[in-house]
Amino acid sequence: MIKQGTGRVFAAFAFVWLIAAAPLAVAQDPLPSWNNGASKQAIVAFVARVTKAGTPDFVPVPQRIATFDNDGTLWVEQPIYTQFAFAFDRVKLLAAGHPEWKNTEPFASLIDGDIERALAGGEEALVQVLAATHAGMTTESYDRIAREWLKTKRDARFKREYSKLVYQPMLELLNYLRANGFKTFIVSGGGVEFIRAYAEEAYGIPPEQVIGSSGRLKYQMRGDVPELLKLPAVDVVNDKDGKVVSIQKVIGRRPIAAFGNSDGDLQMLEWTAAGKGARLALLVHHDDAAREWAYDRGSKIGGLDKALDAAIAKKWVVVSMKDDWNTILPK
Amino acid sequence: MIKQGTGRVFAAFAFVWLIAAAPLAVAQDPLPSWNNGASKQAIVAFVARVTKAGTPDFVPVPQRIATFDNDGTLWVEQPIYTQFAFAFDRVKLLAAGHPEWKNTEPFASLIDGDIERALAGGEEALVQVLAATHAGMTTESYDRIAREWLKTKRDARFKREYSKLVYQPMLELLNYLRANGFKTFIVSGGGVEFIRAYAEEAYGIPPEQVIGSSGRLKYQMRGDVPELLKLPAVDVVNDKDGKVVSIQKVIGRRPIAAFGNSDGDLQMLEWTAAGKGARLALLVHHDDAAREWAYDRGSKIGGLDKALDAAIAKKWVVVSMKDDWNTILPK
């Protein structure tokens, strides 16, 4: 009897202990999709340094600014940028109202489904497509259309909605930084309104913390209702030097941590790393063809040359998707 | 004995009650510098409506965006915009290095201290002064210079630092909104970097929540140190229609409350008020020459014509500084 009683008490204690320990165990590893290794250690060590009050590297909460590139850093960017997939779909959908497109490039090729031929026209062709699909409507109409597409359209390889082609380890990193008082921003070459259409739900990043490229807007009255019309004219190109300029214009403070994956992020990482005190500059290196894609030097999308050289020379963190991440996409 | 005992117990209770009631009393009036009247009641009623969960007008916290004009809405803008006072001081300070200014307008007049004559050249003269005083240096140098001036220079009438020429009732309003889950933004025609130099300390508004006019920036390397150079070229003019465009570009969400004082704020209030659900559009009316200034229709600075007509027609809140505010500047 006594033995049985002790057993019961022990079992009860063990149960309570398990319940209590469970959240503790989770708290002990906020980055479960990151394998233990130099990259994860560098991230955790950096966060520990800047959050420890009373030490020289301590950074007050309002100055804990972290900026993230989007395509290829937070979500998949191959085989084409998702925003382009959206634009090409729009061309097909709008084709009925544009009979002239049948004989006009790049539209004719896009209607035929030949993206490569359409893109042979280079930047000019792209600007034409963006003007035809991203302008001539109000900001509210565009937002509705983009949200609908992002929620329903599935990509060919992973067979899931684009808004779920985000990297699980980066979601954990975003949460980990926010839990440590960081304000997380997206600083992307992509269109700001396209990213905003899914960023809050997918990343927990509100629209006012999304910085991207943008076209000109016109404020006008339709009857007595004001509206913002999207014009077919480029305003901000948020890439390379442009990322640093936008960070200053919109955030007004130099980040202490920056995350990218291509040469378009070089200046943002450089600017971040050059500030005083502890800094974290990190590149995601796509080296996992089996689970995602493998590309770097010379790639048309997400090309990584100069930024990889800089990362090696300056000892920035280079994340190997293959070795550092045990999971790529969320379950 | 019994009586004395009862008295002691009563006294002890009363003491506890006083301690407990003291913070409660403060919480009961978060806007002590606002007299009871229609303006204060409209503000409090609006906040109550949008924060009451389960009602049709409830607005989730992330959508509680409030935008404030700066000059004349949050701080004094007469007899000249503070940023111009700063620029004119800079001209005098830099004059020694520019002997040619002695014979060139508008600089010659500014060196003589004749602001009216200097401004006779209109907008072109102003752009020249801003180019000479707000460009040709890094963003960090400019920030240092502006902060120093704002902390030390005193205005002629109120004999206090410009950074203390902020309106006490508006400070209370900012705090009140933030305590109710609002995110407060400045959306000003003034230079974004000038406002950021004092906004965090004076208003509790961090740099990333300040939107203003801005010049072009150039990212460049000085040796191996990156820097952002301020160029003498206007980029964003954040006034009138431009305020709505900037709100969309930077915040990406329509405000539910907007605060202004001049025709430059008309479109921002119009855009805010035209959204669905409960909205607050408010104009500060400068009608108190004794304690501050009195101006509206036809005023060169802070002119209030069309916006006042719109406010009357659309029943926006018009704050009388004379009647609605029992205090103007902080103690």
Side-chain angles (χ1 to χ4, degrees), chain B residues 302-325:
Chain B
L304 181 61
D305 291 277
K306 287 182 192 169
L308 191 54
D309 292 340
I312 293 162
K314 296 177 182 190
K315 302 201 163 87
W316 295 342
V317 178
V318 179
V319 169
S320 160
M321 289 181 79
K322 200 172 165 207
D323 298 332
D324 285 322
W325 291 0

Side-chain angles (χ1 to χ4, degrees), chain A:
Chain A
M1 278 294 281
I2 285 169
K3 211 177 176 184
Q4 199 186 340
T6 311
R8 273 191 196 156
V9 169
F10 179 74
F13 266 95
F15 180 74
V16 167
W17 182 84
L18 276 172
I19 295 288
L24 205 70
V26 171
Q28 274 169 350
D29 189 0
L31 303 171
S33 299
W34 292 73
N35 292 323
N36 271 321
S39 295
K40 183 174 181 169
Q41 282 160 21
I43 293 167
V44 173
F46 166 76
V47 170
R49 275 178 77 184
V50 299
T51 54
K52 193 158 187 188
T55 63
D57 283 333
F58 176 75
V59 176
V61 166
Q63 291 166 31
R64 293 185 201 158
I65 302 291
T67 54
F68 290 80
D69 169 58
N70 188 37
D71 296 301
T73 299
L74 294 179
W75 75 346
V76 179
E77 65 181 344
Q78 299 283 4
I80 56 167
Y81 295 125
T82 303
Q83 192 180 351
F84 290 174
F86 165 71
F88 300 161
D89 267 13
R90 289 293 297 162
V91 166
K92 284 185 211 164
L93 208 72
L94 297 170
H98 291 271
E100 77 282 8
W101 283 356
K102 273 187 191 160
N103 306 306
T104 324
E105 289 297 352
F107 301 101
S109 295
L110 288 176
I111 293 165
D112 286 348
D114 190 339
I115 289 171
E116 207 165 321
R117 183 148 48 92
L119 291 182
E123 198 173 313
E124 205 182 312
L126 262 175
V127 168
Q128 273 183 281
V129 173
L130 290 175
T133 57
H134 282 61
M137 69 193 93
T138 66
T139 49
E140 287 178 349
S141 297
Y142 177 83
D143 185 60
R144 246 190 326 269
I145 294 165
R147 275 175 202 270
E148 182 61 25
W149 185 87
L150 280 158
K151 269 189 191 151
T152 52
K153 179 78 180 183
R154 286 162 174 261
D155 89 301
R157 177 171 170 192
F158 298 100
K159 319 281 186 217
R160 54 165 85 194
E161 298 86 359
Y162 283 98
S163 55
K164 287 174 184 157
L165 284 179
V166 296
Y167 303 131
Q168 176 63 24
M170 297 305 281
L171 296 181
E172 292 167 9
L173 180 55
L174 285 166
N175 281 327
Y176 174 56
L177 291 174
R178 289 192 289 250
N180 281 283
F182 281 77
K183 206 164 185 176
T184 52
F185 287 83
I186 289 173
V187 180
S188 168
V192 66
E193 290 171 323
F194 186 75
I195 305 166
R196 283 174 178 159
Y198 79 99
E200 192 158 31
E201 208 172 314
Y203 306 129
I205 296 183
E208 66 269 23
Q209 285 161 229
V210 178
I211 301 169
S213 296
S214 59
R216 295 205 174 274
L217 299 176
K218 189 186 174 191
Y219 182 74
Q220 64 184 23
M221 302 299 286
R222 179 179 295 267
D224 59 354
V225 178
E227 62 180 27
L228 280 167
L229 183 68
K230 284 169 68 66
L231 302 179
V234 175
D235 187 8
V236 174
V237 178
N238 195 49
D239 198 29
K240 298 190 169 71
D241 296 16
K243 290 201 175 192
V244 180
V245 169
S246 287
I247 285 170
Q248 175 62 23
K249 291 219 166 202
V250 179
I251 307 177
R253 247 201 272 256
R254 196 194 295 237
I256 63 167
F259 305 86
N261 78 300
S262 80
D263 280 2
D265 304 313
L266 171 60
Q267 290 79 2
M268 176 170 76
L269 268 62
E270 202 173 58
W271 175 244
T272 300
K276 278 178 203 152
R279 301 281 156 161
L280 179 62
L282 184 151
L283 279 177
V284 174
H285 187 199
H286 295 262
D287 58 0
D288 193 336
R291 295 188 301 169
E292 204 241 7
W293 302 91
Y295 57 99
D296 47 38
R297 296 189 190 275
S299 174
K300 259 191 184 174
I301 288 175
L304 182 61
D305 291 277
K306 286 182 193 169
L308 192 54
D309 293 339
I312 293 163
K314 296 177 182 190
K315 302 200 163 90
W316 294 343
V317 178
V318 179
V319 169
S320 159
M321 289 181 80
K322 201 173 164 206
D323 298 332
D324 285 322
W325 291 359
N326 60 51
T327 307
I328 305 282
L329 301 176
K331 295 253 158 64

